[in-house]
Amino acid sequence: MNLTLKIWRQNGASDKGRMVTYRVDDVSPDMSFLEMLDVLNERLILEGDDPVAFDHDCREGICGMCGMVINGVAHGEQKLTTTCQLHMRHFKDGDTITIEPWRAAAFPVVKDLVVDRSAFDRIIQAGGFVSVPTGSAPEAHSVPVPKADADAAFDAATCIGCGACVAACPNGSASLFTAAKITHLSLLPQGQPERESRARAMVEQMDAEGFGGCTNTGECTAVCPKGIPFDTIARMNADYLKAASK
């Protein structure tokens, strides 16, 4: 395939930034989207130009590092798919593809398609953990967990922290991410002692980072590559209100 790419280029948070058009020829439909960008970067380097900066790591849809807005949709239009798992077979010869970074006040651009997502790390540091005593691991069957709770906790725990929910939300809200990290602990027995303090600390840190508020638009769940359910936000809000009322 021969494609036209319109890519956002920006040298840093203080740079105004601009869209730059590139041509990429002989793209195999079996390439991943990132492999296609690799081909472009190899050519740019050979031509003495600056390669396009973008985040990536595992390239298996697990780590959450890759993230870009493709044709106006976070991770592209393929449902339940990260950018690294999006393949070029979903595009057509002659297509024009627009590629931009995550857009959010709390995610400043580092360079080109790379944004600073350390705000997520600080939300986790605020309470995304359980405090446990040292010693050997307890017997696995000593604390029974209902199957429904275990399944719901696992669904929330699949969040990879990519930030697509923030990029898609018109308010730039991190509610789905924060709710997923709160919910997967609050549904398990090990997370009960700190359940309310955890919700309060993490929600307040989310607000302090400059993320917007949730208005139940639902764009976050529509683009989430792991399909985090929308009701996790309701669980988070219930825990936070309970904690705030005490």
Side-chain angles (χ1 to χ4, degrees), residues 10 28-29 35 38 56-57 66 73 79 98 107 117 120-121 127 131 158 162 168 190-192 197-198 221 235:
Q10 184 174 346
S28 168
E35 288 171 338
D38 289 338
H56 63 97
D57 192 358
C66 65
V73 182
K79 296 292 185 182
T98 302
F107 288 165
R117 287 174 282 185
F120 274 5
D121 298 330
S131 299
T158 58
C162 64
Q190 295 88 340
Q192 297 310 308
S197 62
R198 176 186 304 111
T221 56
R235 293 178 187 271

Side-chain angles (χ1 to χ4, degrees), residues 145-156 183 187-188 235:
V145 180
K147 181 67 163 58
D149 289 347
D151 289 345
F154 184 82
D155 287 343
T183 297
L187 288 172
L188 300 175
R235 293 178 187 271

